[in-house]
Amino acid sequence: MEGEECPMQMIIEPKRFLHKTSSHLYVQPHPFLKKAVAHYTILQESAYTGQETLLLVPDISGCIVFKVKKNTIDAQYWGPTTKLVEVQAEPDDAYFSFFIEFHQGGAYQLFQRGLQELLDEKIPLSKILPELQEQMIEAYMQSTTLEMFLAKIDSILLSGERKDSHIVTMLRKQMHPQVSLKEVGNAIGYSERHVQRIFLEQIGCSMKHYQRVQRMNLAIHLLQNAHSLIQVAQLCGYYDQSHFIHDFIRVCGCTPKAYVEKMTSYYQEPYKF
């Protein structure tokens, strides 16, 4: 593969298209995968141009990162994130960068592996899902267009035995920043203890931790749309700004004001909440 550029033509079916920026192309997975997979992302050029670092806002979901380089193909599994991830800007010789972006609990549904042990971890895909890595490499080598590659990835993910996803799906529908563990349990017919166990195994963290990250993703969306700090705190369910600022620092590593001043240094997934 050395010395060759990516031979794949960037052609996709129009129905897959979600959104395109100067650096990212967002596309939809097969409809049957949408409960587990938020979207696929293709990095079209360096997202870090002009920046020393890119700060990834946590979203408690996880992804698979697949990069085709000059001399190798590198694949990693990034576990659900509960804290800010700092990606250092560095020369990237990848011809093709592809991401499978999961919904919260989506990786559990597809791969039947508890997520608590993978929280905030970056692991070579070969160590936890070696067969999947081999299948992805084969799919890439056999594909001449992006659509062909995406169809093969769809087929690979659909072919695995999947856990029943209705519990996590119901949980996500019930979740909002102010709901209590007891209210969620009553809504879906489970005890508080069992709901907590589901969160830890299938989503990767406690419900309280999930809600905190959920609130901060909402806060960031509101800050991006020029809401005042008072408005953001109220809309996110906080009764005082000090509590809101404390949680924001805990999740995002800075105050809301500092975030607004350096907003372009942060990346928030657009299709996970």
Side-chain angles (χ1 to χ4, degrees):
M1 195 178 298
E2 186 173 1
E4 298 177 2
E5 294 188 0
C6 175
M8 190 182 296
Q9 298 181 55
M10 297 291 105
I11 299 171
I12 63 168
E13 293 286 341
K15 62 184 179 182
R16 280 198 185 269
F17 181 80
L18 278 174
H19 183 60
K20 183 178 181 181
T21 70
S22 61
S23 57
H24 294 75
L25 173 63
Y26 301 96
V27 296
Q28 300 187 76
H30 188 284
F32 290 168
L33 290 169
K34 287 184 178 180
K35 288 183 179 180
V37 179
H39 59 88
Y40 301 138
T41 303
I42 297 87
L43 190 63
Q44 302 182 104
E45 58 186 53
S46 174
Y48 322 129
T49 303
Q51 297 175 203
E52 293 183 1
T53 60
L54 187 68
L55 303 171
L56 310 183
V57 177
D59 52 36
I60 314 186
S61 57
C63 66
I64 289 173
V65 181
F66 181 82
K67 290 192 173 187
V68 181
K69 301 184 178 183
K70 289 182 179 179
N71 301 310
T72 186
I73 293 180
D74 177 55
Q76 289 188 329
Y77 173 75
W78 290 24
T81 53
T82 61
K83 54 189 177 184
L84 204 68
V85 177
E86 188 173 295
V87 179
Q88 295 293 330
E90 56 185 22
D92 192 346
D93 59 352
Y95 295 140
F96 180 71
S97 297
F98 173 75
F99 303 78
I100 300 174
E101 296 285 356
F102 298 110
H103 280 301
Q104 293 81 17
Y108 176 84
Q109 295 171 37
L110 291 174
F111 307 130
Q112 303 102 53
R113 187 182 183 106
L115 297 182
Q116 188 176 12
E117 64 189 64
L118 302 173
L119 200 66
D120 294 309
E121 295 286 341
K122 295 181 185 177
I123 306 168
L125 191 59
S126 59
K127 287 190 175 182
I128 58 170
L129 296 166
E131 184 179 354
L132 176 61
Q133 175 164 317
E134 292 176 6
Q135 290 174 321
M136 291 183 72
I137 291 173
E138 184 178 359
Y140 175 81
M141 299 300 290
Q142 293 178 351
S143 299
T144 56
T145 67
L146 178 57
E147 180 59 41
M148 186 181 297
F149 176 72
L150 296 176
K152 290 181 182 294
I153 296 299
D154 282 344
S155 180
I156 291 167
L157 297 180
L158 287 167
S159 66
E161 294 183 5
R162 296 186 299 283
K163 292 272 187 182
D164 189 348
S165 64
H166 78 281
I167 295 176
V168 172
T169 301
M170 284 194 296
L171 281 173
R172 289 207 303 260
K173 287 181 179 179
Q174 294 297 327
M175 289 304 299
H176 59 80
Q178 290 81 39
V179 72
S180 70
L181 188 62
K182 184 177 181 179
E183 288 171 326
V184 172
N186 289 339
I188 66 175
Y190 288 100
S191 68
E192 294 177 47
R193 186 174 180 180
H194 189 56
V195 170
Q196 193 70 282
R197 190 183 305 118
I198 292 170
F199 262 90
L200 291 172
E201 181 183 20
Q202 301 189 27
I203 294 178
C205 65
S206 69
M207 186 178 120
K208 184 176 181 180
H209 207 150
Y210 177 93
Q211 286 176 299
R212 185 183 300 121
V213 174
Q214 182 187 36
R215 278 177 161 183
M216 293 309 102
N217 273 268
L218 172 59
I220 285 172
H221 174 74
L222 295 170
L223 289 169
Q224 289 171 345
N225 287 278
H227 285 72
S228 71
L229 194 60
I230 295 175
Q231 289 175 316
V232 172
Q234 291 175 342
L235 290 170
C236 291
Y238 288 93
Y239 296 106
D240 62 84
Q241 286 190 53
S242 61
H243 187 193
F244 166 63
I245 292 171
H246 176 270
D247 276 3
F248 196 96
I249 293 171
R250 189 171 179 180
V251 173
C252 300
C254 68
T255 65
K257 182 180 178 180
Y259 166 78
V260 171
E261 291 172 352
K262 296 185 177 181
M263 196 179 297
T264 56
S265 296
Y266 290 81
Y267 175 78
Q268 180 189 33
E269 270 295 328
Y271 296 107
K272 292 192 176 183
F273 282 98

